[in-house]
Amino acid sequence: MTDRPRSAPMPAALRAGRPPRHPALAHRCPWCGAAENARCTTRSGRTRTVRLDPCPARLAAWATATAVCPTCQTAPGYPCHDNGIPLPDTSPVHNARYTEAEEPAA
Ligand SMILES: [Zn+2]
Ligand SMILES: [Zn+2]
């Protein structure tokens, strides 16, 4: 018989580690074509490699679809802009929007 309490709280360090699955994976990847809930892949030559992290374009699409942008006040589903001018393809989403998407509004 073991009487040790089993309800010990999980160490915060464990929970704060890498999430097993990025929320962006719920969206199809516009870059590599990975389906919903599938991991992104990169093509190098003939081989397809599974990426650990979603493609940047997928993160951008996810942030755009889920969050209001704190920088340009754009509603979910609409792309970021700077005073009406679309952001460059290299960084199409304001950084603050990624943060906003990761922490859903309470
Ligand atoms: Zn991808
Ligand atoms: Zn923005």
Side-chain angles (χ1 to χ4, degrees):
M1 259 280 203
T2 47
D3 270 10
R4 288 217 307 244
R6 313 206 87 208
S7 56
M10 197 184 254
L14 269 183
R15 309 206 62 187
R18 283 178 71 87
R21 172 173 281 200
H22 197 284
L25 296 193
H27 294 263
R28 198 173 181 282
C29 182
W31 177 256
C32 69
E36 288 89 348
N37 297 319
R39 282 189 182 281
C40 280
T41 55
T42 30
R43 295 188 73 122
S44 64
R46 293 181 157 201
T47 49
R48 262 177 173 263
T49 316
V50 173
R51 292 175 60 119
L52 238 49
D53 297 309
C55 296
R58 192 178 204 175
L59 290 173
W62 159 71
T64 301
T66 17
V68 174
C69 181
T71 304
C72 62
Q73 306 295 321
T74 302
Y78 294 90
C80 278
H81 62 85
D82 261 329
N83 295 319
I85 303 162
L87 300 192
D89 283 350
T90 45
S91 62
V93 178
H94 288 124
N95 281 336
R97 199 170 193 173
Y98 293 110
T99 316
E100 186 74 9
E102 280 166 13
E103 298 168 11

